[in-house]
């Protein structure tokens, strides 16, 4: 491969079916993912997980901690600090309940998959080390959905620190994919006293890596990534600190990025608006042969 773009072998057939009108797109599920940053002497590094090769979706690809919204993430009793729900609703382009659910999913999934918790006993502090056995028991209960995030925060006497998150981008899985997500990407800094670990059953490796190095690995075909991951990594390269990236987050464009498949000169062109590097050319029939460019 010329680079590390994730491109499943079944995509061409599904793209052709979508173009022919024989494939009905599934409704995307709301999701959230967090680009967790940590400052070092050579600039910020970002936390990436490598999805297990056995995973049906993006197996072997590097991604950020994240996942789908839990139906209970919009529990109105959740402890909350930072910008109010109305502010987040305006920023994310959804209603108040959905905004809370998306922000909660971002914080909850980061804790479930990386062991990092963006919450504290009050609006001005953050919990410290969360690697003890009692914390692990609660984290496992969250993963199993035996415990809602609201119940977890209440049990611990904590409030969610929404001010520690910055909304960065929004990508929607292409219409021809069988598993679709409407995903909001957030940026956050690793809280002092906390440390990451690979707590995800879906990942076989966790790394801290400079965005420029991750992008370089992708460009050389050494690191497999989905378009949203490498696109957001490229946007992180210029920042000298995590604080700089967070400060820029409120100005980031959250217009959803959705791949388009259209017929051009006898072939189907798959493109992501604003991201020409991911464009692919797919033959209109399997008889033409060849590998999509």
């Amino acid at each position: 491969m010329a680079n590390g773009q994730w491109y499943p072998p079944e995509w061409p057939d599904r793209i052709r079916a979508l173009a022919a009108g024989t494939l009905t797109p599934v409704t995307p599920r709301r999701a959230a993912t967090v680009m967790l940053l940590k400052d070092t002497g050579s600039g910020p590094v970002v936390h990436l997980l490598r999805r297990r090769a056995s995973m049906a979706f993006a197996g072997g690809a590097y991604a950020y901690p994240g996942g789908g919204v839990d139906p209970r993430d919009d529990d109105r009793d959740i402890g909350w600090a930072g910008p109010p729900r109305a502010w987040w609703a305006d920023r994310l382009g959804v209603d108040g309940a959905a905004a809370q659910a998306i922000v909660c999913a971002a914080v909850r999934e980061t804790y479930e998959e990386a062991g990092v918790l963006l919450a504290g006993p009050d609006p001005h502090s953050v919990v410290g080390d969360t690697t003890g056995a009692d914390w692990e028991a609660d984290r496992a209960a969250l993963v199993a959905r035996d415990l809602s995030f609201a119940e977890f925060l209440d049990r611990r006497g904590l409030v969610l620190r929404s001010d520690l998150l910055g909304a960065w981008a929004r990508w929607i899985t292409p219409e021809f994919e069988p598993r679709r997500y409407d995903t909001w990407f957030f940026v956050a800094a690793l809280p002092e006293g906390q440390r990451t670990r690979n707590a995800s059953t879906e990942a076989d490796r966790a790394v801290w890596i400079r965005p420029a190095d991750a992008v370089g690995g992708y460009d050389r075909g050494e690191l497999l990534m989905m378009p949203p991951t490498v696109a957001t990594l490229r946007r992180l390269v210029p920042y000298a600190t995590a604080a700089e990236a967070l400060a820029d987050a409120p100005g980031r464009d959250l217009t959803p990025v959705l791949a388009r498949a259209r017929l051009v000169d006898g072939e189907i062109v798959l493109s992501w608006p604003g991201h020409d590097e991911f464009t692919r050319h797919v033959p209109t029939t399997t008889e033409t042969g060849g590998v999509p460019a």
Side-chain angles (χ1 to χ4, degrees):
M1 69 176 78
N3 56 34
Q5 183 177 347
W6 179 68
Y7 194 87
E10 66 272 14
W11 268 18
D13 286 341
R14 296 188 64 86
I15 292 169
R16 283 187 284 266
L18 180 67
T22 59
L23 177 68
T24 301
V26 300
T27 300
R29 178 186 176 191
R30 283 175 174 160
T33 190
V34 176
M35 301 179 288
L36 195 61
L37 300 175
K38 178 175 67 173
D39 287 328
T40 71
S42 58
V45 289
V46 63
H47 187 66
L48 290 175
L49 302 174
R50 186 176 65 186
R51 295 174 60 82
R52 294 185 184 277
S54 59
M55 296 297 296
F57 183 80
Y62 283 83
Y64 310 111
V69 166
D70 184 318
R72 298 171 295 177
D73 282 336
D74 64 355
D75 190 326
R76 300 300 298 183
D77 295 326
I78 194 167
W80 189 273
R85 295 166 181 81
W87 184 93
W88 279 107
D90 182 66
R91 178 72 181 113
L92 301 179
V94 296
D95 62 34
Q100 175 178 296
I102 293 163
V103 172
C104 282
V107 175
R108 175 181 51 74
E109 288 284 343
T110 302
Y111 181 53
E112 289 181 8
E113 297 200 334
V116 171
L117 183 59
L118 303 176
D122 58 62
H124 309 291
S125 60
V126 186
V127 296
D129 185 19
T130 62
T131 58
D134 58 334
W135 284 102
E136 179 56 25
D138 279 350
R139 192 197 64 79
L142 284 170
V143 172
R145 299 296 180 260
D146 294 332
L147 185 69
S148 74
F149 196 59
E151 292 168 336
F152 165 71
L153 293 178
D154 183 63
R155 173 187 297 182
R156 291 276 176 177
L158 301 174
V159 294
L160 181 153
R161 290 286 306 277
S162 75
D163 55 315
L164 299 182
L165 287 169
W168 193 263
R170 180 182 178 185
W171 287 66
I172 302 176
T173 309
E175 292 179 326
F176 49 81
E177 258 294 315
R179 294 175 179 82
R180 299 189 64 212
Y181 298 92
D182 184 353
T183 305
W184 281 261
F185 287 71
F186 295 86
V187 65
L190 178 69
E192 185 176 353
Q194 293 194 37
R195 50 182 171 167
T196 57
R197 62 188 186 280
N198 181 12
S200 173
T201 58
E202 299 180 352
D204 60 10
R205 187 186 184 201
V207 298
W208 283 103
I209 186 171
R210 292 194 316 136
D213 292 338
V215 167
Y218 167 87
D219 288 339
R220 293 189 298 272
E222 298 168 358
L223 301 181
L224 185 67
M225 297 181 196
M226 294 174 284
T229 307
V230 70
T232 49
L233 280 169
R234 291 197 194 280
R235 300 295 189 271
L236 289 175
V237 170
Y239 295 98
T241 66
E244 286 183 10
L246 276 165
D248 266 7
R252 302 292 307 179
D253 183 9
L254 295 187
T255 300
V257 179
L258 173 63
R260 298 184 301 169
R262 64 191 191 282
L263 187 63
V264 179
D265 297 331
E267 66 178 0
I268 298 169
V269 178
L270 174 63
S271 62
W272 280 257
H275 300 273
D276 292 342
E277 69 169 299
F278 305 125
T279 299
R280 292 275 183 152
H281 297 262
V282 182
T284 54
T285 68
T286 56
E287 296 177 0
T288 58
V291 178

